[in-house]
Amino acid sequence: MITDLRENDSAEYKFRFMINQPGDKYTGSPGVTLSVTGLQVEVSRSDSTWSLMKCLSSCVLPYYPSYYWYKNGQKINTGSSLFVYFGSSDSYSCSVRGYEDQRSPSVYAPKLPSVSVSSSAEIVEGSSVTLTCSSDANPAANYIWYKKDGNPDPPLSEEPQLVFSSIQSSDSGQYYCRAENLMGTKRSESISIDVKYAPKLPSVSVSSSAEIVEGSSVTLTCSSDANPAANYTWYKKNQTRPHGEGDIYRFTSISSEDRGIYYCKSENKHGWIDSSSLVVDVQYAPKLPSVSVSSSAEIVEDSSVTLTCSSDANPAAKYIWYKKDGNPDPSFSEEPHLVFSSIQSSDSGQYYC
């Protein structure tokens, strides 16, 4: 016999008897299922300000039973229904008169929701991540997930869990959830998601958009989106050794030897990537010209002779030939070559370009 029957007495019951021989026992199977139902509070919203509650029972009650209502365990009212302020942090229950010690389970708005992330380690781009929201509430709460990304913030999911099957860097940010039932609503604290990822394709730039002239100061800059922040190494094409470290590489006084194609390497513990190429074209005046004559033997009258002038310069140099024969010396040609197709004795002398 069960006295003072309660809902938690609901169960499957079996009998067992034993005989005198050790190890011999018999159990009645299948058992008998006992389902005990008591008072329940049914909640329905009337508007955004009030909630309507009714005290219901599946048990057979006396005609026209009287009900008591309780707020936080204290008796407050009578009647089969009760209006309460929507969003109240109080809990409510009811009982039937004469059975005050057998109250219904309490109903209440959601408590402060707790939020958690499935991974306690670093969150790396491409991995699976789940955010979970939970709140103590009766009736059970419904959940909505938000990202702090606007005013108002857009809803992302109406499930207890927000799942990223392959999380991306753009998913970094602060998230929160809202738990709500017919008694009220409660917002959680924010949880921060910081997605780590390898560097994206770096961008490279040069400080001067005009001509780069020898002797000037020039700065090369490399930048890349990465988390954690990337380290940078500068290289010059066709050279195996690094040319410099850091996102900025400076030429305090650039020279013609610094001409070439440069690129940077962006790297963190999740990976690395090379930038596109950056051409550094240094402009400079002509270096000391070299002069040569086509014939290394004796130059005989009427023979063909060519004098050649060349100089390292950027942009390419223009040339003028002179003969030391006055003040000023007369110019002969504005070409790299001074050609005598049939040289004469009068052409003897000293030439320069």
Side-chain angles (χ1 to χ4, degrees):
M1 177 181 293
I2 303 175
T3 59
D4 192 21
L5 191 67
R6 301 287 179 150
E7 276 190 89
N8 56 15
D9 292 319
S10 296
E12 182 182 7
Y13 291 84
K14 299 180 181 180
F15 72 89
R16 184 173 70 182
F17 65 89
M18 301 178 62
I19 60 178
N20 292 332
Q21 297 298 323
D24 290 343
K25 57 185 179 180
Y26 298 91
T27 302
S29 185
V32 177
T33 300
L34 178 64
S35 178
V36 182
T37 58
L39 289 175
Q40 298 290 332
V41 175
E42 180 185 76
V43 185
S44 60
R45 276 274 298 278
S46 55
D47 55 39
S48 60
T49 306
W50 299 93
S51 297
L52 173 63
M53 298 187 299
K54 293 182 179 180
C55 193
L56 303 176
S57 175
S58 58
C59 300
V60 177
L61 298 176
Y63 291 112
Y64 305 108
S66 297
Y67 296 91
Y68 290 126
W69 285 96
Y70 303 85
K71 175 181 176 181
N72 300 328
Q74 301 298 314
K75 188 184 295 184
I76 59 170
N77 211 339
T78 60
S80 61
S81 61
L82 180 70
F83 277 100
V84 298
Y85 175 66
F86 177 75
S88 169
S89 59
D90 299 314
S91 63
Y92 297 87
S93 61
C94 67
S95 71
V96 176
R97 183 178 180 180
Y99 300 90
E100 288 85 353
D101 59 338
Q102 298 178 27
R103 299 177 189 175
S104 71
S106 295
V107 294
Y108 46 91
K111 309 297 184 183
L112 179 68
S114 64
V115 291
S116 61
V117 61
S118 58
S119 174
S120 59
E122 273 192 343
I123 298 174
V124 181
E125 191 171 47
S127 62
S128 175
V129 175
T130 300
L131 305 184
T132 301
C133 181
S134 61
S135 174
D136 178 20
N138 189 25
N142 297 315
Y143 299 95
I144 306 175
W145 277 99
Y146 299 87
K147 183 180 182 182
K148 282 189 174 180
D149 198 25
N151 190 11
D153 298 324
L156 299 178
S157 171
E158 295 187 3
E159 298 292 335
Q161 294 184 321
L162 178 60
V163 179
F164 301 91
S165 56
S166 178
I167 200 163
Q168 301 300 307
S169 58
S170 56
D171 294 321
S172 291
Q174 289 189 313
Y175 294 81
Y176 63 92
C177 68
R178 191 178 296 278
E180 59 182 31
N181 65 11
L182 294 174
M183 297 291 291
T185 181
K186 198 77 169 181
R187 171 185 158 164
S188 74
E189 300 292 338
S190 296
I191 186 170
S192 182
I193 299 299
D194 185 25
V195 182
K196 309 294 186 182
Y197 50 95
K200 311 297 184 184
L201 181 67
S203 63
V204 287
S205 61
V206 61
S207 57
S208 175
S209 59
E211 287 182 347
I212 299 174
V213 181
E214 189 172 41
S216 63
S217 174
V218 176
T219 300
L220 306 183
T221 301
C222 181
S223 63
S224 175
D225 180 19
N227 190 14
N231 296 315
Y232 300 95
T233 307
W234 283 96
Y235 293 88
K236 188 176 183 181
K237 198 170 184 179
N238 299 325
Q239 292 184 1
T240 56
R241 288 173 41 185
H243 210 68
E245 302 287 340
D247 59 333
I248 294 176
Y249 185 70
R250 289 186 176 88
F251 300 92
T252 54
S253 180
I254 201 164
S255 67
S256 58
E257 288 78 13
D258 294 321
R259 285 181 302 167
I261 299 174
Y262 292 82
Y263 65 93
C264 72
K265 180 180 182 180
S266 177
E267 183 175 16
N268 66 13
K269 67 179 182 178
H270 299 294
W272 62 270
I273 188 171
D274 287 339
S275 73
S276 55
S277 297
L278 180 64
V279 177
V280 177
D281 185 28
V282 182
Q283 310 285 297
Y284 52 94
K287 308 299 184 183
L288 180 66
S290 63
V291 291
S292 62
V293 62
S294 58
S295 174
S296 59
E298 271 189 344
I299 297 175
V300 181
E301 195 170 43
D302 292 328
S303 62
S304 175
V305 175
T306 300
L307 305 182
T308 300
C309 181
S310 64
S311 173
D312 179 21
N314 187 22
K318 296 179 180 180
Y319 300 93
I320 305 176
W321 278 98
Y322 298 89
K323 182 180 182 182
K324 283 191 174 182
D325 195 25
N327 191 8
D329 298 324
S331 61
F332 276 73
S333 171
E334 293 187 2
E335 298 293 334
H337 305 289
L338 178 57
V339 179
F340 300 94
S341 55
S342 178
I343 201 165
Q344 301 299 308
S345 57
S346 59
D347 294 322
S348 296
Q350 289 187 315
Y351 293 81
Y352 65 92
C353 69

